[in-house]
Amino acid sequence: MKKNIAFLGVLILIFIIITSILLKFNNPMENNKNDKIQIVATLFPQYDFAKQIGGDKVDVKLLLPSGSESHTYEPTPQDMVMINNSDMFIYTGEEMEPWAENLISGMKNNINVIDLSKSVELIKTEEFEEEHENEEENKRENDEIQEKLNEKSHEESHKETHEHTYDPHIWLNPQYAIKMVEQIEKQLCKIDPDNTEYYHKNANNYINQIAQLDKEIEQTVEQSPTKKIAFGGSFAYAYFVERYNLQFISAYDTCGEGAEPSTLQVKSVIDYINKNKIPVVFYKEYTTGNIAKTISEATGAKMLVFNTIHNLSKDELQNGETYVSMMRKNLENLKQSLN
């Protein structure tokens, strides 16, 4: 009798398992989800662009955990599995995600890989610093007087700084953001030609939003009497200041991870702000803002974040922030600095 009951229990268990499997495969909602194009994006800008273009035809996952920095990120085994199960992998380029090249070498051949840096002309950091040297008048004057006296300490302060050959924050120029959107749209249409019109319509809609944003930023700068801004934190804004022909000074030469600026650099920013009566000192998101705070205390300039938008916080993601909405927040802060 007990054997019969045990055997019956096994049969019931097998029946439940088979039924669950059949229900899963016959569930229209599950099928729709599986039919969507699976996209993995390393950073928020391309994550947002892919969502805006793909709409309900795609399932987009953001690889970088919210609130974390791309430079120090290390992919997990789970990330590798997710990428290898995707149809498309979007990244910015080896300058921003140096770890991406190793990921790509281990991917399946059928995954569409997009390097968005291929669509734009990258700014070489050293050339950019030289090009804008004349605009940093007060910094140059201090350097000429104190360069020899501070040469050793200046070099040591930059010894461990994370440096890029090229500035990778290409999306901060909205015109480059449009090129990124176009590149993703082209690849989606290639993968799913049946929905070409749908993707084209969505892409055009978002391109128009970005173009309008670009126009508003341009008008704000043109109407400003000074066109001068100051950065007290890591500098990742070469594409932005170049696009709008802004004059600037920064406590850091580049992104600045891993080192503090010299006292001479900080003094240069303080003098520049005082001389030009700049009301705001900018600093980067997810940083302490200690250098900007020192500058703010010395000048009375208000501390404001200028977001690089490479990643968002959990709250920002949950609130449905987009590239355009985050750039508009930057615009509002820029207005406070220029007016």
Side-chain angles (χ1 to χ4, degrees):
M1 181 70 178
K2 289 182 179 179
K3 288 183 178 179
N4 289 338
I5 293 174
F7 179 73
L8 182 62
V10 171
L11 287 177
I12 292 172
L13 181 60
I14 293 171
F15 175 78
I16 291 171
I17 293 171
I18 292 173
T19 303
S20 298
I21 293 171
L22 290 173
L23 285 172
K24 179 178 179 181
F25 280 101
N26 288 286
N27 187 334
M29 292 300 291
E30 189 71 23
N31 284 338
N32 287 339
K33 183 178 178 181
N34 292 337
D35 285 343
K36 291 183 178 182
I37 295 173
Q38 301 297 308
I39 301 174
V40 177
T42 55
L43 306 181
F44 178 77
Q46 50 262 39
Y47 166 82
D48 179 56
F49 298 158
K51 286 186 67 176
Q52 298 291 337
I53 302 164
D56 59 11
K57 310 294 182 188
V58 301
D59 180 18
V60 190
K61 294 181 176 64
L62 178 59
L63 191 62
L64 195 66
S66 60
S68 62
E69 280 285 348
S70 63
H71 305 299
T72 55
Y73 170 74
E74 289 291 338
T76 66
Q78 291 82 1
D79 293 335
M80 287 297 302
V81 172
M82 179 173 67
I83 292 167
N84 272 297
N85 288 331
S86 69
D87 301 299
M88 184 187 298
F89 177 71
I90 312 173
Y91 73 117
T92 321
E94 62 181 351
E95 287 291 327
M96 177 57 93
E97 303 106 325
W99 39 266
E101 297 299 319
N102 290 332
L103 284 180
I104 294 166
S105 63
M107 286 181 192
K108 297 176 182 177
N109 293 330
N110 62 337
I111 298 174
N112 293 269
V113 178
I114 308 179
D115 177 354
L116 293 175
S117 68
K118 300 298 184 184
S119 63
V120 303
E121 184 178 348
L122 297 177
I123 294 175
K124 200 165 186 177
T125 52
E126 289 181 3
E127 291 175 359
F128 184 78
E129 289 159 18
E130 291 172 3
E131 179 183 342
H132 289 78
E133 188 173 341
N134 289 332
E135 296 172 1
E136 302 178 20
E137 296 176 2
N138 204 53
K139 179 179 186 299
R140 182 193 60 204
E141 292 168 3
N142 280 303
D143 286 347
E144 288 173 350
I145 297 170
Q146 302 185 43
E147 182 177 6
K148 290 184 179 180
L149 295 174
N150 293 278
E151 184 175 358
K152 185 176 180 180
S153 61
H154 180 79
E155 288 176 353
E156 287 176 351
S157 71
H158 285 77
K159 196 173 184 179
E160 298 177 356
T161 302
H162 181 96
E163 293 183 353
H164 297 289
T165 303
Y166 296 91
D167 188 319
H169 305 83
I170 56 178
W171 57 85
L172 289 178
N173 178 338
Q175 294 185 347
Y176 283 175
I178 289 173
K179 289 180 180 292
M180 294 167 75
V181 170
E182 291 172 340
Q183 204 172 351
I184 295 171
E185 179 207 354
K186 181 179 179 181
Q187 196 64 32
L188 271 174
C189 291
K190 181 180 177 182
I191 295 172
D192 184 19
D194 291 343
N195 288 301
T196 294
E197 186 176 343
Y198 177 82
Y199 299 136
H200 186 62
K201 180 180 177 181
N202 289 348
N204 277 347
N205 178 58
Y206 208 47
I207 286 171
N208 289 337
Q209 291 183 47
I210 298 173
Q212 178 60 34
L213 166 73
D214 182 43
K215 183 179 179 181
E216 290 179 29
I217 298 173
E218 191 172 38
Q219 289 174 343
T220 297
V221 174
E222 286 176 353
Q223 293 167 5
S224 168
T226 63
K227 298 179 178 59
K228 294 177 180 178
I229 56 178
F231 294 93
S234 306
F235 185 75
Y237 311 99
Y239 295 94
F240 187 86
V241 297
E242 182 185 65
R243 165 67 188 94
Y244 302 108
N245 197 29
L246 285 161
Q247 298 179 42
F248 73 97
I249 192 169
S250 173
Y252 290 85
D253 293 330
T254 57
C255 287
E257 286 88 354
E260 294 298 322
S262 67
T263 54
L264 174 59
Q265 286 177 293
V266 175
K267 182 180 182 300
S268 296
V269 178
I270 291 171
D271 292 345
Y272 188 85
I273 289 175
N274 286 333
K275 178 181 177 180
N276 295 287
K277 297 181 173 57
I278 298 174
V280 168
V281 56
F282 289 115
Y283 68 102
K284 189 179 172 185
E285 78 279 11
Y286 310 132
T287 61
T288 59
N290 286 337
I291 301 301
K293 185 178 180 181
T294 298
I295 295 169
S296 174
E297 290 172 349
T299 62
K302 183 179 181 180
M303 289 176 61
L304 289 177
V305 170
F306 199 112
N307 206 306
T308 65
I309 319 179
H310 80 284
N311 199 1
L312 300 189
S313 67
K314 286 183 179 179
D315 288 342
E316 288 167 337
L317 287 170
Q318 289 173 358
N319 291 337
E321 298 287 359
T322 67
Y323 166 81
V324 170
S325 69
M326 293 303 294
M327 282 293 284
R328 287 198 172 279
K329 290 182 179 182
N330 283 342
L331 173 57
E332 291 308 308
N333 286 349
L334 181 67
K335 287 178 179 178
Q336 293 188 54
S337 181
L338 293 177
N339 294 334

